[in-house]
Amino acid sequence: MTTGGRSGASRVDGTGSSEEHQLDLGSCDVDIDDTITLSNWPLLTGFAKLPPCVHNELKDHFIIAQELDGKTVLAAINGIMDSNAASILKGEGVLYKVPSRDKKNIAFEKSAGLLLGRGGTITYDLGTKKLKKTTGITCVLSVVHEAVSKGVTVTVRDVFYRNRDVFGSKQFTEACIYDVCCLLGCDKASLNLVSFEKGSVIGPLKLKLTNGEVASCSELSGRRIPSEKRLLEVESFDCGDAEFILVVEKQSLFHHLSQMDFHNKQRCIMVTGNGVPDIATRVFLKRLVSETKLPHYALMDPDPDGFMILCVYAYGSANLAFDISGLAVPTLRWLGLWVEDLIWAGIGVTQLKDVTPREEKMLSNLLGNKNLSRFFPRHWSVRFQDIALRGKKASFEILHSKGFDFVSKVFLPALLNKRRNNETVDRERNAVTVEKSLRNSFQKTNRKGVTKNDTDFPARSDT
DNA sequence: CCCAACCGAGGATCTTTGAT
DNA sequence: ATCAAAGATCCTCGGTTGGG
């Protein structure tokens, strides 16, 4: 841990609008201007929360969702409803003052990911424009009150179907739920709201539960990552002989690798969120990383969606900026796939696909987000910009043209070795070299108009 | 084909500001 | 005080992933 050197830093103004903010941590012994790594981030029980001193400093300036027990949630809801009842008796209507989740109210803090500022507040009342949201929030509060009182958990879907006419759509239901989280200052799990179990995990990992039972993740097709609420029942992780954690973008690759027994052969714990990860997967990964201290890598396609998903894992999402209960993993390393890996594997650049207008926009937004992009490792920026400039994307599926077991038996083991050997190399210099070699290879390819088959890629050992 | 998660874009609507 | 333009905010829609 490092101290100080920040005493003169300007403080966040509380409006949530400061882009170049730095926090004065005073006596706090974690300098949050440095990347908080696993070695300087104290281990905590339960969810991998921020260190208390950092949490205390941030909570004055940002909305930080906390785990609340049922009693506190009920008391908060009762308080809000009492206040509304008094307001109605006075002839005024129902109203909620909710911290604005608008993107302009979101700042980026390196140690925690994206954060929701305390500055903006939206008042939802019975006016024509706000009526729908006000009704929606009331319905969510009603369902949550009942669920917490009875000690049962409900899904977003349950909330939607109970008041279908009010909500109209699932997206709107979700927005109302997130507003209630901001209103009460807690996470979704504290409201006894659970999501569909979306993520999966496989590998030599055992989950030790609070009731003494042990759940193994080494089964053939892996194990569903439990909801945030049920994750509380996991007391500790036993990672056995695992050497690293591998985050896989999509289910197809996860399924393929697990079928090929990749996790056992490479001694790794594989996690997937099936595309954009849900909250449970992000909480699970954060906790796994914090408690096992294993190196952690991400396998994402070199396309705008892959970049977006990578950023959601590493920095969090704007939509859930209020909930930083272990959602961002800023220490995540992008293992691949990179375009030069395809060339290395003997795949021609002519096989790359065009980036669609939607993806173009997504990429320019990622790169244009100064709040976030200045924290990208340089080699990420180079590769993001490269895709944007070239207008071409790739995916792991291209590698299947080399045979179905090529990825798991030849390509990924070679890629892991390559990256491990490069880990000590100056990454900045590496990125520049990569940039130059990419330009050269593509220029050659364009000149010749044919596929370029270089490389130092190892010959297949099997056929 | 519909569902469940997530995301961003953009049109619609409301509010604020400034000119007259 | 009125009106138009600009800015802010809300919310629907459509995109990704995968499952049943």
Side-chain angles (χ1 to χ4, degrees):
Chain A
M1 292 189 195
T2 56
T3 53
R6 303 277 157 213
S7 54
S10 61
R11 297 183 70 95
V12 174
D13 60 11
T15 62
S17 60
S18 77
E19 279 192 7
E20 295 292 323
H21 70 271
Q22 281 183 310
L23 297 174
D24 180 0
L25 293 172
S27 59
C28 175
D29 59 358
V30 174
D31 184 342
I32 62 172
D33 204 37
D34 290 340
T35 300
I36 290 194
T37 61
L38 296 178
S39 57
N40 66 5
W41 194 328
L43 286 181
L44 302 161
T45 55
F47 286 171
K49 293 285 191 188
L50 291 169
C53 60
V54 176
H55 181 276
N56 288 339
E57 183 67 25
L58 292 177
K59 74 177 169 51
D60 293 335
H61 311 293
F62 300 107
I63 306 295
I64 298 178
Q66 291 179 290
E67 292 166 48
L68 297 181
D69 58 55
K71 263 187 184 175
T72 313
V73 170
L74 288 178
I77 295 175
N78 288 338
I80 289 167
M81 288 309 172
D82 285 347
S83 149
N84 273 332
S87 172
I88 290 166
L89 285 174
K90 273 194 275 177
E92 297 159 11
V94 173
L95 69 85
Y96 303 104
K97 285 189 175 174
V98 182
S100 170
R101 293 188 295 115
D102 189 88
K103 286 166 188 67
K104 292 184 188 73
N105 197 30
I106 291 168
F108 181 74
E109 170 47 55
K110 205 174 178 181
S111 62
L114 294 167
L115 289 167
L116 187 63
R118 283 201 175 275
T121 304
I122 298 173
T123 303
Y124 291 106
D125 53 22
L126 299 177
T128 46
K129 196 185 170 185
K130 310 284 180 68
L131 178 62
K132 188 178 178 187
K133 200 61 168 292
T134 309
T135 315
I137 290 172
T138 309
C139 288
V140 172
L141 285 170
S142 158
V143 174
V144 167
H145 191 278
E146 187 183 338
V148 175
S149 304
K150 293 179 177 170
V152 295
T153 53
V154 290
T155 63
V156 176
R157 201 181 171 202
D158 294 333
V159 178
F160 170 60
Y161 281 112
R162 276 185 64 157
N163 298 282
R164 202 174 174 163
D165 293 340
V166 172
F167 293 115
S169 71
K170 287 289 304 304
Q171 290 97 327
F172 184 74
T173 315
E174 236 164 48
C176 291
I177 288 170
Y178 292 147
D179 280 337
V180 168
C181 288
C182 289
L183 185 65
L184 302 180
C186 64
D187 53 23
K188 216 165 88 177
S190 301
L191 305 178
N192 278 20
L193 290 171
V194 293
S195 302
F196 170 77
E197 293 175 357
K198 191 179 176 226
S200 302
V201 57
I202 193 168
L205 175 71
K206 286 177 179 150
L207 311 178
K208 290 186 176 171
L209 308 180
T210 47
N211 63 7
E213 288 178 19
V214 175
S216 170
C217 300
S218 59
E219 290 150 25
L220 198 60
S221 55
R223 173 174 284 278
R224 283 278 182 201
I225 292 172
S227 64
E228 306 94 279
K229 197 84 180 169
R230 295 213 62 196
L231 271 175
L232 288 170
E233 294 170 26
V234 178
E235 195 174 72
S236 63
F237 297 100
D238 176 2
C239 58
D241 61 349
E243 290 180 358
F244 62 97
I245 299 162
L246 189 64
V247 181
V248 180
E249 180 186 345
K250 43 194 169 182
Q251 178 71 24
S252 56
L253 184 60
F254 179 87
H255 177 72
H256 172 74
L257 293 177
S258 59
Q259 266 201 332
M260 295 294 174
D261 209 27
F262 182 82
H263 51 288
N264 284 328
K265 287 175 182 159
Q266 294 293 326
R267 293 197 295 281
C268 68
I269 298 165
M270 287 199 300
V271 174
T272 182
N274 292 333
V276 183
D278 63 351
I279 299 172
T281 304
R282 287 151 67 182
V283 170
F284 178 81
L285 177 66
K286 180 75 181 191
R287 236 190 108 180
L288 188 63
V289 162
S290 293
E291 295 184 28
T292 63
K293 296 194 172 189
L294 290 172
H296 37 293
Y297 306 105
L299 265 185
M300 306 286 160
D301 287 337
D303 64 17
D305 282 305
F307 297 157
M308 186 266 280
I309 293 168
L310 180 64
C311 289
V312 169
Y313 276 113
Y315 303 114
S317 62
N319 212 21
L320 294 172
F322 65 90
D323 187 354
I324 59 162
S325 55
L327 294 189
V329 185
T331 47
L332 186 66
R333 284 187 177 173
W334 184 22
L335 181 71
L337 181 68
W338 302 343
V339 173
E340 64 264 33
D341 297 330
L342 291 170
I343 299 167
W344 178 55
I347 298 285
V349 290
T350 48
Q351 291 189 47
L352 302 186
K353 290 178 186 168
D354 288 338
V355 171
T356 66
R358 182 194 68 83
E359 292 173 323
E360 244 171 51
K361 232 165 220 172
M362 184 189 282
L363 199 53
S364 78
N365 283 345
L366 271 177
L367 291 167
N369 185 345
K370 293 273 186 301
N371 221 358
L372 204 61
S373 61
R374 65 196 175 106
F375 290 102
F376 288 158
R378 180 161 154 69
H379 77 103
W380 287 24
S381 300
V382 167
R383 291 185 172 90
F384 289 9
Q385 281 163 3
D386 190 70
I387 298 285
L389 282 172
R390 205 180 311 283
K392 295 281 183 185
K393 63 177 182 179
S395 68
F396 270 96
E397 281 70 26
I398 292 181
L399 289 165
H400 288 328
S401 63
K402 292 252 167 188
F404 277 113
D405 50 359
F406 176 73
V407 172
S408 60
K409 287 189 177 168
V410 183
F411 180 78
L412 278 181
L415 187 68
L416 276 165
N417 278 335
K418 190 182 176 188
R419 296 282 190 267
R420 278 169 178 164
N421 291 338
N422 280 349
E423 274 197 344
T424 51
V425 176
D426 179 354
R427 298 184 77 83
E428 297 293 314
R429 202 184 56 198
N430 196 27
V432 174
T433 314
V434 160
E435 193 179 7
K436 279 183 187 165
S437 70
L438 260 173
R439 304 236 170 276
N440 289 339
S441 71
F442 274 90
Q443 277 165 6
K444 280 180 196 168
T445 309
N446 288 340
R447 268 202 306 275
K448 289 177 186 171
V450 293
T451 303
K452 181 182 183 299
N453 270 332
D454 51 336
T455 72
D456 56 341
F457 198 80
R460 287 194 69 186
S461 54
D462 54 338
T463 52

